[in-house]
Amino acid sequence: MTEVQVMDADWLEFHPNPKKPDFILPKGAVDAHCHVFGPSPEFPYAPERKYTPCNAGKDKLYALRDFLGFDKNVIVQATCHGKDNRAMVDACRTAGDKARGIASVGPDITMDELRDMDEAGVRGVRFNFVKRLVDATPKEVFLGIAEKIAKLDWHIVVYFEAADLEELTPFLKQLPTTIVVDHMGRPDVTKGVDHPDFQRFIQLMEDVPTIWSKVTCPERLTKAGYPYDDVVPFYQAIVDRFDDRVLWGTDWPHPNMKTHMPDDGALVDYIPRIARTAEQQKKLLVDNPMRLYWAR
Ligand SMILES: O=C(O)c1cc(C(=O)O)oc(=O)c1
């Protein structure tokens, strides 16, 4: 029985006509967390995937970039493509210097394969710990990959949930590279900023100056719903303390959204609520991503 390419997605499709943002992005702004999905069958989805997305290819991503007023993208390998990085690498090659990538690789990845991806604009790998997205990977496998990618001066993007942080902390401290945490490590916003769980994340960033955080995905973290007022204090706590180690992104095409589909233009209008000064906005959207992804 051949794998039948399931085409109808399990979840909502990306917003078909986002609003033009009111917030004017600074010149050279970077959408530092987004994905491409397929299009299949050219770029098939991984058999081991835990969700089946709609097609959302590079052309639509770059049209959105231009419409919103971004200059560049960092394209993060999505779990629906597993360790087949071809769609992400193809999108990076198409955009040339306007895109960088984050790959998902296995323990047998070779330095030549990594260097090929580096030449296409890839600058890191993603370690995913979110159980609904991936099966567990042994820590020693991740450490072996970390050793290889450290040779290319790449960094490691990590995706975990707040409940996992205490157990993960010793492992994170073992990693030899800069670490970028997706979506603030997914705090439970009903527990408030002062709860020990979120304070543990802030303490980790205090203790380890090479740990960065994406201040992204209020639509995933909110319990109150749009306009996500309940998530604002969490972002402000991170941006106000660590304004030179934060990144922002749309998370387009928003995998696995079931409650609602955010308007990407409205997400851009959320930025001045979490980075409240022009200086913070420039660091978040330009200086920090340029330092981490476009140093070469
Ligand atoms: O929360 C999610 O479902 C999710 C999934 C993925 C992915 O499948 O790569 O990436 C994200 O940034 C967020």
Side-chain angles (χ1 to χ4, degrees):
M1 172 75 168
T2 54
E3 160 77 11
V4 174
Q5 195 69 38
V6 175
M7 290 317 293
D8 50 319
D10 300 332
W11 39 276
L12 298 171
E13 292 210 8
F14 53 87
H15 198 290
N17 55 346
K19 69 174 287 239
K20 200 77 172 162
D22 302 321
F23 175 62
I24 304 300
L25 290 161
K27 193 172 170 330
V30 180
D31 178 349
H33 184 89
C34 52
H35 311 280
V36 286
F37 296 153
S40 73
E42 184 190 3
F43 297 111
Y45 299 110
E48 71 271 21
R49 68 184 178 279
K50 294 191 186 295
Y51 66 87
T52 299
C54 58
N55 281 336
K58 60 188 178 184
D59 299 345
K60 291 193 171 71
L61 175 65
Y62 296 150
L64 180 71
R65 172 197 66 196
D66 297 343
F67 175 77
L68 295 176
F70 285 100
D71 181 52
K72 298 182 178 74
N73 295 88
V74 179
I75 307 170
V76 177
Q77 176 74 356
T79 61
C80 55
H81 278 298
K83 296 179 178 55
D84 178 352
N85 295 284
R86 282 177 294 164
M88 177 274 292
V89 170
D90 172 70
C92 287
R93 289 195 195 286
T94 298
D97 200 46
K98 283 188 170 295
R100 293 291 186 265
I102 294 289
S104 177
V105 302
D108 44 9
I109 192 81
T110 66
M111 290 310 294
D112 281 349
E113 288 167 330
L114 290 171
R115 272 189 284 273
D116 282 351
M117 285 197 276
D118 187 272
E119 179 272 326
V122 177
R123 292 293 182 271
V125 289
R126 194 182 201 202
F127 293 171
N128 201 316
F129 300 90
V130 179
K131 298 174 184 63
R132 65 178 160 84
L133 292 172
V134 291
D135 295 335
T137 298
K139 298 270 185 334
E140 53 274 11
V141 168
F142 279 147
L143 290 170
I145 292 167
E147 255 175 69
K148 288 180 183 172
I149 65 111
K151 294 186 181 103
L152 295 174
D153 204 20
W154 286 11
H155 60 275
I156 297 168
V157 172
V158 292
Y159 192 26
F160 56 80
E161 292 166 302
D164 302 330
L165 179 56
E166 191 164 14
E167 183 266 331
L168 274 177
T169 294
F171 166 74
L172 295 175
K173 289 182 172 177
Q174 276 182 275
L175 294 174
T177 70
T178 292
I179 296 168
V180 180
V181 177
D182 278 339
H183 320 326
M184 294 190 294
R186 291 190 69 108
D188 175 349
V189 298
T190 63
K191 292 181 176 175
V193 174
D194 297 327
H195 188 280
D197 284 1
F198 191 65
Q199 289 302 312
R200 179 179 299 116
F201 180 63
I202 288 186
Q203 192 58 54
L204 177 65
M205 288 190 75
E206 298 274 9
D207 295 345
V208 186
T210 52
I211 292 186
W212 294 40
S213 179
K214 291 178 190 169
V215 284
T216 40
C217 289
E219 72 281 4
R220 294 182 185 285
L221 302 177
T222 187
K223 294 290 187 282
Y226 184 79
Y228 319 133
D229 295 346
D230 53 347
V231 202
V232 170
F234 291 80
Y235 293 128
Q236 289 177 350
I238 299 291
V239 173
D240 290 349
R241 279 177 182 73
F242 310 111
D243 64 0
D244 58 1
R245 290 190 261 153
V246 286
L247 297 170
W248 193 86
T250 56
D251 192 38
W252 188 90
H254 309 280
N256 291 309
M257 284 304 294
K258 294 180 170 44
T259 56
H260 70 294
M261 179 46 65
D263 173 322
D264 296 283
L267 287 178
V268 171
D269 286 340
Y270 192 74
I271 293 171
R273 300 182 64 190
I274 67 172
R276 287 171 283 181
T277 68
E279 187 200 2
Q280 284 180 338
Q281 290 156 12
K282 184 168 179 301
K283 286 183 172 187
L284 172 68
L285 294 161
V286 184
D287 304 344
N288 296 348
M290 288 306 290
R291 188 168 80 252
L292 187 59
Y293 289 97
W294 273 270
R296 62 180 170 85

